[in-house]
Amino acid sequence: MERFFSHPILDVKEDRKQITFFFEGIPLNAFDGEPIAVALAAAGILDVRYSRRFSQPRGIFCGIGQCQECSMLVDGVPNVRTCVTPVREGMHVSRQKGLGEVINDGRS
Amino acid sequence: MTVDHKLPEQCDILIVGGGPAGLAAAIEAAGRALHVVLVDENPVFGGQLIRQIHKFFGSSFHYAGVRGIRIADMLSREASEAGCLMVPECRALGFLRDGRVALSLRGAASALRAKRILLAVGGKEHGLPFPGWTLPGVMTAGAAQTLCNLHHLLPGRHVLMVGSGNVGLIVSYQLMQAGACIAAIVDTADRIGGYAVHAAKLQRAGVPFFLGAQIQEAIGLKSVQRVNIGINSTGEHLSIDADAVLLATGLSPRTELASMFGCELTYEPRLGGHFPRHDDTMRSSVSHVFVAGDSAGVEEAATAIDEGRLAGLSMAFDIKGAHCGDEKMRDEIRSRLKAFRNRKASSGKEKQNCSAAAVSPGLVRYPVFECVENIACNPCADACPAGAITVETITSPPVVDYSRCTGCMRCLSVCPGQAVFMVDRRGSLTLAWEYLPVPSVGEKVILCGRSGEALGMGNITACRRNVGDKTMLVTLSMDSSLVDRVRSFKRCGDE
């Protein structure tokens, strides 16, 4: 999916802060605070999760944090809804296989 | 906007959902010196309005002719100034046994006791299962609207839209504005579901509609690349290249919280299925719980605003007793809602009410209103400084007194349906235009008709941009025989 930088109605801000985050170890650029799934889609990554039973690709579906289709592993926490979770500097994100493994229970 | 992130332990009124209904209720209730807390799970208030870059239908009470994104700002500011405590990123989890409402503020749970509760949580989009519907790139029309209008990301270059209701039509147009190509709009029904004026914008851009057709399969390895559709009447199959498939197949009220609160549900297919039964004060079957907006039956933002106002006034009445003018105001809102809902379904065969034929033969330059349905809408009449346009009841089509028209073209720029055209019989036409790049004077363009068909070449002779709302008015010169047929243009070099 491509970003656009001009629009007949909307003002597309040009001075948005850029950050770097990591997708499966690869550094990627993003705008600070945009949803993780948006940053990935702009980098050409649409298949953010693989289903539990048949390992099929899944991507953004509802876009408002209701359907769980874009669940990913974010900083060791599985099942993070990436369409409504802001991307931050240095975040580590990876595709989730099935239900996802808990690497970090959030208490460390 | 000042936003408080602390939750009190109690308040007069808790409103769940900060969309048009919740905000309107907050404005009315907080404006009557009640302690109102408004929570929304999103970081920004406005609900779906913050994605809606189109202009609204309705009357001035519904902010007609104003873009949704601006209405969101106006309502949010008004609610905040009225003294409502606005808490974003806060989800209502449910109802505790002691009568309090459980809330989660960015993961931290708390409970709040409120005398009255308004559930204005909106609707949810329907999915549509078919082989390949789980592929990345297949998403709801709302998701596409979010990506495009909120995050400035194009969901696809070649988009297939499933569903020709207003959501499908509006989102298709908005994706075109951002630079996408709509490969097709597919609907199982044999006629377009949404307003004719919304469909007309797409038709004159040459978007193909496949009616009486269904999507059979989305194909792709890691994301959608191709879609197969079947035409019901002929049994033929088509394969269309698309990197996005959008589902605009309807909405249902969100009823989880209402059910948890013990509100009785009722069923009405025209309003999206099950929703909490309510009376004409917006009170549900549970006396201290009110409902408004799409979660009280899916309609439009305009009716959501009015239902929210009604609920806000009713809750204030409950807590504070009779207020001067309140009952009168509620009656006004009720009659407005009634008039708004009184729209007869169009047969698609309505006569053009002010077509060129209806204009007195002596006129040379005059506006033509290609507005044929009984849409609840009157901004053209409000905008006309000469009082030349009459919209009798909110759902009547406009009637023009051409003897009073000064040709100022305000009706062109304000019409939410972009259905007004300034015809000059000497060989020019002015139309509303909302695409980039900005047309330049002297540019040679391909003139297009109502179905996007090329009719000849013409030149752009003027382009006026209204700074306030960004709609451009583009004047095209052409052979005088074409002025009744040309309704759009293509740039040379556009595919």
Side-chain angles (χ1 to χ4, degrees):
Chain A
M1 294 182 191
E2 294 163 66
R3 297 184 190 273
F4 56 84
F5 296 93
S6 60
H7 191 281
I9 308 299
L10 292 162
D11 297 317
V12 184
K13 280 207 188 76
E14 305 211 343
D15 56 347
R16 286 181 288 173
K17 184 180 160 202
Q18 290 224 24
I19 54 126
T20 304
F21 74 111
F22 298 91
F23 170 69
E24 304 191 340
I26 307 158
L28 293 175
N29 290 332
F31 290 114
D32 189 27
E34 70 182 350
I36 297 166
V38 167
L40 290 170
I45 296 144
L46 303 182
D47 53 333
V48 301
R49 176 175 85 85
Y50 278 79
S51 65
R52 184 165 61 126
R53 278 163 63 205
F54 302 113
S55 203
Q56 295 170 329
R58 298 283 194 267
I60 298 171
F61 183 72
C62 78
I64 47 170
Q66 298 294 323
C67 76
Q68 318 292 325
E69 285 290 68
C70 64
S71 298
M72 294 180 82
L73 199 63
V74 177
D75 288 338
V77 181
N79 301 310
V80 172
R81 300 168 304 162
T82 54
C83 74
V84 289
T85 305
V87 69
R88 299 292 179 209
E89 178 72 50
M91 224 173 213
H92 284 268
V93 177
S94 26
R95 286 193 183 99
Q96 185 169 318
K97 312 263 186 294
L99 297 178
E101 238 179 299
V102 180
I103 296 171
N104 168 1
D105 63 3
R107 284 182 294 200
S108 57
Chain B
M1 193 171 84
T2 52
V3 179
D4 202 303
H5 291 228
K6 281 201 196 65
L7 283 166
E9 284 184 12
Q10 52 192 354
C11 64
D12 288 330
I13 294 172
L14 170 68
I15 300 174
V16 184
L23 287 168
I27 291 165
E28 294 300 341
R32 283 166 177 71
L34 287 152
H35 182 202
V36 181
V37 177
L38 172 62
V39 300
D40 193 291
E41 63 186 359
N42 297 294
V44 185
F45 284 89
Q48 301 310 304
L49 291 172
I50 61 171
R51 300 163 173 74
Q52 296 177 343
I53 60 170
H54 54 280
K55 294 178 188 173
F56 272 58
F57 291 118
S59 70
S60 54
F61 290 107
H62 310 113
Y63 306 91
V66 182
R67 297 189 193 281
I69 38 181
R70 276 202 51 221
I71 301 173
D73 284 346
M74 287 151 73
L75 292 173
S76 304
R77 196 168 317 123
E78 226 181 307
S80 169
E81 283 166 5
C84 168
L85 179 66
M86 298 168 80
V87 190
E89 295 178 277
C90 179
R91 296 186 75 171
L93 301 174
F95 192 53
L96 299 175
R97 234 174 261 171
D98 65 5
R100 292 180 304 163
V101 181
L103 300 168
S104 163
L105 176 55
R106 268 169 289 139
S110 62
L112 178 81
R113 187 176 300 283
K115 292 176 187 154
R116 293 290 176 274
I117 297 158
L118 172 64
L119 300 176
V121 294
K124 52 176 187 261
E125 292 183 274
H126 295 177
L128 180 76
F130 51 85
W133 79 298
T134 55
L135 271 174
V138 180
M139 64 181 92
T140 65
Q145 203 181 28
T146 303
L147 294 178
C148 180
N149 296 345
L150 232 48
H151 305 303
H152 309 151
L153 183 78
L154 219 46
R157 275 259 149 237
H158 298 275
V159 177
L160 184 120
M161 179 67 73
V162 182
S164 69
N166 277 333
V167 172
L169 299 176
I170 290 170
V171 173
S172 295
Y173 174 65
Q174 290 176 1
L175 294 174
M176 280 168 52
Q177 289 181 292
C181 162
I182 307 298
I185 296 181
V186 180
D187 201 316
T188 50
D190 51 13
R191 36 178 299 218
I192 291 171
Y195 292 150
V197 289
H198 285 321
K201 283 187 277 192
L202 300 167
Q203 287 163 323
R204 60 183 177 248
V207 172
F209 281 75
F210 293 95
L211 300 173
Q214 38 204 340
I215 183 164
Q216 290 171 321
E217 188 173 10
I219 300 154
L221 197 60
K222 288 185 172 178
S223 64
V224 65
Q225 291 156 312
R226 201 155 44 82
V227 183
N228 291 339
I229 64 169
I231 315 287
N232 299 346
S233 56
T234 60
E236 64 179 313
H237 301 280
L238 291 173
S239 183
I240 297 173
D241 287 340
D243 54 357
V245 175
L246 308 183
L247 309 179
T249 48
L251 294 155
S252 291
R254 285 179 66 180
T255 57
E256 301 90 335
L257 281 172
S259 301
M260 219 184 276
F261 279 73
C263 304
E264 271 172 47
L265 299 185
T266 178
Y267 183 80
E268 171 56 65
R270 282 184 312 111
L271 297 172
H274 288 98
F275 57 89
R277 188 168 59 77
H278 56 271
D279 62 14
D280 70 352
T281 67
M282 305 312 294
R283 192 191 304 272
S284 75
S285 64
V286 177
S287 67
H288 69 290
V289 178
F290 288 70
V291 290
D294 275 357
S295 59
V298 175
E299 290 179 287
E300 304 186 28
T303 45
I305 291 172
D306 267 343
E307 284 185 346
R309 284 185 179 128
L310 199 51
L313 288 168
S314 304
M315 292 187 293
F317 185 90
D318 266 13
I319 296 169
K320 284 212 149 175
H323 245 280
C324 113
D326 267 16
E327 195 48 45
K328 192 163 150 270
M329 209 170 145
R330 283 197 283 175
D331 281 337
E332 274 168 26
I333 296 171
R334 284 186 199 112
S335 58
R336 211 156 58 213
L337 280 167
K338 201 170 157 191
F340 202 92
R341 288 167 176 154
N342 204 4
R343 194 171 75 88
K344 289 188 287 292
S346 82
S347 65
K349 297 195 189 85
E350 283 86 355
K351 284 265 184 307
Q352 193 49 265
N353 61 302
C354 11
S355 66
V359 176
S360 58
L363 285 174
V364 177
R365 184 171 175 272
Y366 51 86
V368 173
F369 288 67
E370 306 208 339
C371 158
V372 292
E373 285 169 313
N374 304 324
I375 297 174
C377 184
N378 67 5
C380 56
D382 281 348
C384 181
I389 306 169
T390 313
V391 174
E392 196 182 342
T393 66
I394 184 80
T395 56
S396 317
V399 175
V400 186
D401 176 354
Y402 286 96
S403 67
R404 298 168 82 169
C405 170
T406 61
C408 73
M409 302 202 284
R410 283 206 203 152
C411 49
L412 269 75
S413 47
V414 77
C415 174
Q418 291 176 29
V420 191
F421 301 86
M422 198 70 172
V423 165
D424 188 325
R425 301 233 65 88
R426 292 162 296 192
S428 91
L429 177 87
T430 306
L431 44 78
W433 189 252
E434 293 184 337
Y435 296 107
L436 289 180
V438 174
S440 45
V441 171
E443 193 183 340
K444 207 175 173 70
V445 295
I446 303 158
L447 304 168
C448 301
R450 290 181 183 82
S451 313
E453 74 280 19
L455 294 169
M457 299 301 286
N459 282 307
I460 291 170
T461 55
C463 176
R464 292 194 346 203
R465 192 164 195 181
N466 181 342
V467 180
D469 79 2
K470 304 231 171 145
T471 301
M472 294 173 263
L473 292 184
V474 177
T475 306
L476 305 159
S477 69
M478 62 192 67
D479 187 277
S480 61
S481 65
L482 292 175
V483 292
D484 291 330
R485 292 168 63 205
V486 171
R487 288 298 175 263
S488 181
F489 63 92
K490 269 208 283 262
R491 329 297 284 265
C492 300
D494 275 6
E495 293 149 294

